[in-house]
Amino acid sequence: MKKEPLSNMISLKNFSFTYPDAKNESIKNINLEIQRGETILITGSTGCGKSTLLKSICGFTPRETGGSSEGEISILEKKISKYSFEKISQTIGFLFQDCENQLICSNVREELAFGPRNLRLKKNEILNRIDFALEITKSKKLEFKNCSSLSGGEKQKIALASILSMKPEILLLDEPTSQLDYEGVKNFIKSITEIKTTYNPTTIFAEHRNNRIMPITNRLIIMDKGSIVGDYRKKEFSDAYEILNQLKLEIPAWIEITKKINLHNIRNEEDFLQQSKHLKNKQDLAQQKTERKNQKRKKILSVKNICYSYEKNKPDIFSDISFDLFEGEILAIMGSNGTGKTTLLNLLSGIIQPKKGEIIWFEEKKSSLLSLVGKIGYLFQNPDLMLSLDTVKKEIEFGPKNLKFKKSKTNELVQESLDFFKLSTLQYKNPFSISRGERLRLAIASLYSCENQVLILDEPTGGMNRGIRTIIMDQLKKWVQKKNNNSSIILCTHDTESALKYADKTMILENGRIVMQGNSDTVISRAYLDKRYIEPPPHAYVSKSSGYETIPRSLEIFIRGLQKS
């Protein structure tokens, strides 16, 4: 007789966890029942306990991290503490937020074979699992590449593929789209849909990008300060508006517009899209930023016809890249994973040199890496590579001290940076005891304290909730304005919403060339119409259907227009 599957796949009863030496619980009194095959989105502010909850479900905390826990967690009605790590690895697949540390083999095929080999599967089955994982994650073109040569987004895809090659019953995915480009996000959503159709694992996302994930989930859980503060089934998603808004979390555009202009009889996104065809927006777009004239502002950077290749006799990654940056400008660089955005930033910062062409900073023909210290600050895509000291405060002090600033000035800059990036309450903590989003803010703060004239930022909003993204981008914009418009920012990002709202100009790279550059709203609107290169901002579709030729700089501007129509 066939055994009926257990209804509860995961059960948490009064579960709390405290990290070693921490004063407060990271997650507290969690009661949660998750049924087999459910697809759940857990969202909440940076540092609210989402990652810790996932790590607890798979037994990683407190076994590997130390610390203390109360209550119990059960998987298939068996306490997680009774599982061996071997059995956990067969049952649960965990995609870590920092997926780079998850890749342990030299090349992609070896990485995908590692798990199935340790399950002692037969050779033919291992090969089938590799093909399955490559196909379902759309990663076939990466099959024979070295893992170290992959871009951040490509590493994220391969880390997911390595988990799927083991076909776990439970998938725990921590910020799985944080480094993916538009095509990557679309393929990821397709992959999850196919996986659910193929063998339907219980799937739990911890994500800030609710717009991306909510359409494929049937349950939304909201966390705040270590506790679950909201739990909604799919038909109730619009009821989550108040709490999402209160916590400054990302709200799907259809829910936000529905609530703010009082549309009625809207039960889901399909209802909204049907009604949105009748919305008209006549507001004057004078509120939109216009491209400022450059002739009265000083040129900070001139890039002229640069080409670059990592190896001799290999095709160039770039071909004839040219652009300028002026004082007071924020420039967003966008494009697909692996198109060379980070390599371009490395060239601009002086870490590597172009094969051909010129990069001229501050009108100096030959700028050495040393000559740019104290003038240009560079945020790496992985902020952990920039952190080495034992407290948050010491990290922020490090730059000013080594630049030989006076003690009084150093103290002033450190306090300003702590306040500016909302890190004052964390200043005596070890950087690696705080969340990844908080470490990213710390890395930016450590550049801010050095009084650089230009900041080069690689994915500065990755893995952050809407509220923190807004705080950081608002503060960076204020920093540019505060410096009397003689400083500038170059940011590499997949965050179209932030690029549209904050960047004066946007440049899109594809296949080693600049395919579009100019005023941000114009470029992003063109890219949306082309349906390529970048992820559309949340309000793109409804803006176009309401009569806008150019997408408004923000959803707020769009909604104000609807309210006045």
Side-chain angles (χ1 to χ4, degrees):
M1 183 176 176
K2 188 177 178 180
K3 188 177 179 180
E4 288 296 315
L6 298 169
S7 59
N8 276 345
M9 196 73 176
I10 303 167
S11 175
L12 292 90
K13 295 181 179 177
N14 301 316
F15 184 80
S16 301
F17 174 75
T18 306
Y19 282 104
D21 302 322
K23 293 180 181 179
N24 301 316
E25 296 160 316
S26 180
I27 51 176
K28 48 194 174 188
N29 198 33
I30 301 292
N31 287 283
L32 190 60
E33 302 289 340
I34 297 172
Q35 294 185 342
R36 184 187 292 272
E38 277 198 276
T39 306
I40 298 172
L41 167 60
I42 301 176
T43 191
S45 301
T46 303
C48 73
K50 301 185 300 297
S51 297
T52 301
L53 179 57
L54 295 193
K55 289 175 183 176
S56 299
I57 289 172
C58 75
F60 193 77
T61 57
R63 279 198 238 186
E64 290 297 302
T65 60
S68 60
S69 64
E70 295 179 4
E72 63 181 52
I73 297 177
S74 300
I75 306 294
L76 295 168
E77 298 189 353
K78 179 180 176 181
K79 289 183 180 179
I80 191 69
S81 58
K82 302 295 184 184
Y83 280 82
S84 65
F85 269 126
E86 181 181 6
K87 183 61 178 174
I88 288 174
S89 68
Q90 293 173 31
T91 308
I92 302 174
F94 193 132
L95 180 68
F96 285 90
Q97 196 174 94
D98 184 5
C99 62
E100 193 164 352
N101 293 333
Q102 218 163 331
L103 303 178
I104 57 175
C105 297
S106 59
N107 64 67
V108 168
R109 278 194 72 86
E110 286 296 310
E111 188 67 45
L112 303 192
F114 183 81
R117 280 177 182 159
N118 280 275
L119 294 178
R120 297 182 288 276
L121 300 178
K122 292 181 179 179
K123 184 177 179 180
N124 283 344
E125 179 60 19
I126 292 172
L127 295 175
N128 288 338
R129 294 285 186 96
I130 292 171
D131 289 340
F132 164 77
L134 287 170
E135 179 62 32
I136 209 159
T137 58
K138 309 295 185 286
S139 301
K140 195 71 176 173
K141 67 178 183 179
L142 305 176
E143 181 176 6
F144 299 107
K145 285 197 171 187
N146 290 330
C147 291
S148 60
S149 71
L150 302 176
S151 70
E154 289 168 340
K155 286 175 181 174
Q156 202 161 33
K157 288 171 70 174
I158 296 308
L160 176 62
S162 69
I163 292 165
L164 296 178
S165 69
M166 298 178 71
K167 293 191 175 179
E169 293 181 77
I170 298 169
L171 284 176
L172 305 178
L173 308 175
D174 197 357
E175 300 286 354
T177 69
S178 62
Q179 297 183 54
L180 297 181
D181 58 24
Y182 180 38
E183 286 301 317
V185 171
K186 288 197 299 183
N187 287 334
F188 172 79
I189 298 299
K190 287 179 185 175
S191 297
I192 295 298
T193 304
E194 285 181 35
I195 292 162
K196 297 295 290 183
T197 303
T198 305
Y199 74 101
N200 198 28
T202 303
T203 306
I204 305 175
F205 301 92
E207 257 286 3
H208 295 302
R209 302 292 188 173
N210 302 334
N211 266 306
R212 295 173 174 176
I213 304 300
M214 280 176 70
I216 60 169
T217 59
N218 52 37
R219 190 173 174 189
L220 172 66
I221 292 172
I222 304 172
M223 292 187 69
D224 184 41
K225 298 176 182 176
S227 298
I228 292 174
V229 295
D231 189 347
Y232 303 88
R233 302 291 171 174
K234 196 170 188 72
K235 64 182 180 182
E236 305 166 331
F237 281 178
S238 62
D239 296 336
Y241 170 76
E242 294 297 338
I243 194 164
L244 289 171
N245 191 46
Q246 179 187 337
L247 296 176
K248 295 182 170 57
L249 302 176
E250 188 170 277
I251 304 170
W254 72 270
I255 295 178
E256 191 158 5
I257 295 170
T258 295
K259 295 293 183 179
K260 287 191 174 179
I261 66 171
N262 296 317
L263 291 177
H264 301 292
N265 301 317
I266 305 292
R267 295 163 298 174
N268 50 47
E269 190 170 10
E270 289 71 28
D271 288 346
F272 170 77
L273 291 175
Q274 196 64 34
Q275 282 206 33
S276 72
K277 295 175 182 178
H278 307 293
L279 295 175
K280 293 298 175 188
N281 195 313
K282 302 297 184 183
Q283 185 178 7
D284 184 3
L285 291 189
Q287 292 181 60
Q288 295 259 83
K289 297 176 186 176
T290 56
E291 189 170 8
R292 291 176 289 177
K293 294 181 180 180
N294 294 324
Q295 59 265 32
K296 292 184 179 179
R297 291 185 294 145
K298 190 175 179 181
K299 190 183 292 184
I300 286 182
L301 168 67
S302 182
V303 177
K304 298 180 179 179
N305 306 115
I306 62 168
C307 300
Y308 182 77
S309 175
Y310 277 109
E311 298 178 42
K312 289 182 178 180
N313 304 319
K314 292 282 186 180
D316 289 341
I317 296 172
F318 297 121
S319 179
D320 293 326
I321 298 289
S322 298
F323 64 93
D324 296 321
L325 180 73
F326 290 82
E327 288 181 339
E329 256 182 6
I330 297 179
L331 168 67
I333 300 174
M334 307 188 76
S336 305
N337 287 132
T339 200
K341 299 184 301 296
T342 297
T343 301
L344 178 57
L345 298 192
N346 288 337
L347 285 162
L348 298 179
S349 64
I351 293 174
I352 55 178
Q353 297 298 317
K355 187 171 78 174
K356 294 178 184 177
E358 290 183 312
I359 298 174
I360 302 171
W361 281 106
F362 312 111
E363 299 182 345
E364 297 174 10
K365 281 283 183 181
K366 292 184 179 179
S367 299
S368 66
L369 183 59
L370 188 60
S371 72
L372 298 177
V373 173
K375 295 179 182 178
I376 296 174
Y378 184 12
L379 173 76
F380 295 154
Q381 192 173 102
N382 182 356
D384 294 352
L385 299 175
M386 301 174 64
L387 307 176
S388 59
L389 301 175
D390 58 6
T391 72
V392 165
K393 186 177 181 180
K394 286 180 182 178
E395 288 287 357
I396 297 173
E397 286 175 336
F398 182 80
K401 281 185 174 180
N402 281 276
L403 290 170
K404 309 299 182 186
F405 290 174
K406 289 182 179 179
K407 186 176 180 181
S408 59
K409 184 177 182 180
T410 295
N411 291 339
E412 182 183 332
L413 286 168
V414 169
Q415 190 57 53
E416 184 180 328
S417 300
L418 287 166
D419 294 340
F420 217 49
F421 292 99
K422 313 296 182 187
L423 293 167
S424 295
T425 58
L426 305 175
Q427 61 182 303
Y428 299 113
K429 287 196 170 187
N430 186 298
F432 291 96
S433 72
I434 61 180
S435 74
R436 188 178 188 277
E438 290 163 343
R439 294 199 300 276
L440 186 52
R441 281 154 55 199
L442 170 57
I444 298 173
S446 70
L447 301 178
Y448 178 89
S449 66
C450 295
E451 290 202 317
N452 293 290
Q453 189 175 348
V454 179
L455 295 181
I456 298 175
L457 310 174
D458 197 352
E459 296 289 352
T461 60
M464 293 191 185
N465 64 279
R466 186 187 198 178
I468 296 299
R469 289 202 309 269
T470 301
I471 287 169
I472 285 182
M473 293 307 299
D474 280 347
Q475 296 301 74
L476 290 172
K477 188 71 177 178
K478 285 178 185 175
W479 175 78
V480 170
Q481 294 167 342
K482 176 184 172 184
K483 292 285 184 178
N484 299 317
N485 282 337
N486 68 351
S487 58
S488 301
I489 292 173
I490 300 172
L491 60 96
C492 167
T493 185
H494 294 304
D495 181 4
T496 315
E497 190 174 6
S498 292
L500 181 61
K501 185 175 181 180
Y502 295 100
D504 301 290
K505 292 182 179 178
T506 293
M507 179 172 79
I508 300 179
L509 290 177
E510 197 68 28
N511 298 323
R513 292 183 177 275
I514 298 173
V515 292
M516 292 183 189
Q517 65 174 319
N519 206 26
S520 289
D521 49 2
T522 303
V523 168
I524 289 170
S525 296
R526 281 177 55 202
Y528 171 69
L529 290 176
D530 287 354
K531 300 190 184 306
R532 35 189 317 214
Y533 307 128
I534 59 174
E535 183 176 13
H539 56 293
Y541 175 81
V542 70
S543 298
K544 290 295 183 181
S545 66
S546 300
Y548 275 118
E549 290 184 10
T550 302
I551 300 169
R553 285 276 184 169
S554 68
L555 179 60
E556 293 77 14
I557 290 174
F558 173 74
I559 289 173
R560 283 202 299 270
L562 289 178
Q563 289 171 332
K564 293 179 180 180
S565 296

